[in-house]
Amino acid sequence: MKKLFLLIVTSLFVFSGFARDKSSLKFRLVYDGSYIDLENQSVPEGFEAIRILKGMKETTVLVEKNVQLDGTHIKNFKLAQDMFGYPNINFTLDDEGTQIFAKLTRENIRKEILLEMDGIAILSAIIREEITGGQVAISGVNNLNLIKIIKDNFECEDSLNINFDVDFVRVTAVNGIVDRKDPKAVLNAFMYYYFTDDPVWKSFVASDGKYSKSHDNITSVRDNFPETLNYSEIQIQKAEKLKKKLPFYLFKNNKDIPFSYLYKINISGYEYIAQVNMIMDKAGNFSIKGF
């Protein structure tokens, strides 16, 4: 199965309502010409400016007005993991869509394509090669919001089995010593110190812990919403453990037991959901492994 290389995913928007009409999905090419200062220059003919989020930062991008392909040509979705433990979003096109997409990718290699739903950009990707056969995989999806968007709004085969319907509790201030054998206490302390910009947060990260894309996102949350967001608005999953296959580079040489926990943030009416990876060592102590 040939793949599109995932470049960015919007972070805040979570749509509700199952079995949404697939015509709401539209693929459009992103402008690849010389730089345009949108405040002082006009938008080129045939393009329009739309607002998207890269990580947690809002920006403006120019896209073709012409819709290259819409979701009515998508026969089905499948959510699955690749060999490295990263989620993929796979979809199959009908015969007409297969021909359209093959021509689109053949003529636009190394260009950026954007997928929007109901006029809101939900991801963009770089076309790496011509994609024939109608089997498409968007690889490297490390943002849970896009997975939730597909799962909540379209019928799909889901082998990821990420349970978003879990109980959350708000992060509370840390008073006293943190019980390192209580994963919720460790996660709460990490989030509290991180969002109060206290370097103590580093003491809760494993010595070989990895920063992932979600680290860029929560850093942007902390830095870009200082007046509207504080630690008490962050919600973390209760102590129910989510064992799962995690990226090999985190655990390939480590005998510690990996776990995943969800956290969510509500900003201006939108819900952002992400994941923190933790480990439990042989002594039963928890620490943050990837975030």
Side-chain angles (χ1 to χ4, degrees), residues 17-252:
F18 183 70
R20 186 180 294 264
D21 187 347
K22 284 184 287 191
S23 64
S24 63
L25 292 172
K26 293 178 173 58
F27 292 88
R28 297 201 283 173
L29 286 172
V30 176
Y31 175 76
D32 66 344
S34 58
Y35 172 75
I36 294 177
D37 181 356
L38 292 176
E39 293 186 0
N40 301 303
Q41 295 176 266
S42 59
V43 175
E45 184 176 353
F47 290 85
E48 62 181 314
I50 63 172
R51 298 192 319 184
I52 64 172
L53 292 166
K54 289 190 176 183
M56 292 291 294
K57 297 178 182 179
E58 186 177 274
T59 186
T60 302
V61 65
L62 294 177
V63 295
E64 288 187 358
K65 291 183 178 180
N66 179 46
V67 174
Q68 298 289 337
L69 183 75
D70 66 46
T72 59
H73 293 292
I74 297 177
K75 295 169 62 175
N76 56 65
F77 286 98
K78 182 178 180 180
L79 305 176
Q81 284 185 337
D82 63 20
M83 63 182 292
F84 302 121
Y86 290 107
N88 278 358
I89 296 176
N90 307 321
F91 59 88
T92 303
L93 296 167
D94 61 19
D95 291 342
E96 183 180 1
T98 297
Q99 294 178 16
I100 294 172
F101 206 66
K103 182 176 184 294
L104 170 64
T105 53
R106 181 174 63 252
E107 296 177 352
N108 294 282
I109 292 173
R110 290 186 295 277
K111 291 186 179 180
E112 185 177 350
I113 189 170
L114 181 142
L115 175 62
E116 63 180 62
M117 185 168 75
D118 292 338
I120 297 175
I122 60 175
L123 71 87
S124 68
I126 299 297
I127 300 171
R128 297 192 300 188
E129 59 185 343
E130 179 184 359
I131 299 175
T132 58
Q135 301 290 325
V136 183
I138 303 173
S139 60
V141 181
N142 59 2
N143 189 298
L144 297 184
N145 281 335
L146 180 57
I147 294 169
K148 192 173 190 300
I149 287 171
I150 298 299
K151 187 173 180 177
D152 285 356
N153 292 280
F154 303 100
E155 295 186 30
C156 63
E157 179 183 341
D158 180 16
S159 61
L160 293 176
N161 297 317
I162 298 174
N163 180 20
F164 291 99
D165 187 22
V166 297
D167 292 329
F168 290 85
V169 294
R170 292 189 181 277
V171 171
T172 57
V174 176
N175 295 305
I177 298 174
V178 176
D179 182 0
R180 299 284 180 144
K181 290 182 169 52
D182 181 349
K184 189 178 72 173
V186 171
L187 182 54
N188 180 88
F190 167 76
M191 287 292 188
Y192 169 72
Y193 288 119
Y194 190 83
F195 280 93
T196 55
D197 205 16
D198 187 324
V200 173
W201 67 265
K202 296 178 182 179
S203 67
F204 295 95
V205 178
S207 59
D208 58 346
K210 303 288 185 180
Y211 296 155
S212 66
K213 182 69 174 180
S214 59
H215 171 261
D216 296 333
N217 290 339
I218 63 174
T219 300
S220 296
V221 172
R222 185 188 64 189
D223 295 344
N224 293 333
F225 299 91
E227 297 179 359
T228 59
L229 182 68
N230 59 58
Y231 68 87
S232 65
E233 296 176 67
I234 314 299
Q235 297 184 59
I236 58 176
Q237 183 183 346
K238 282 188 175 180
E240 176 191 358
K241 300 180 183 68
L242 286 181
K243 262 190 181 178
K244 60 170 288 187
K245 181 182 178 184
L246 294 169
F248 79 101
Y249 68 85
L250 290 178
F251 303 103
K252 63 179 180 178

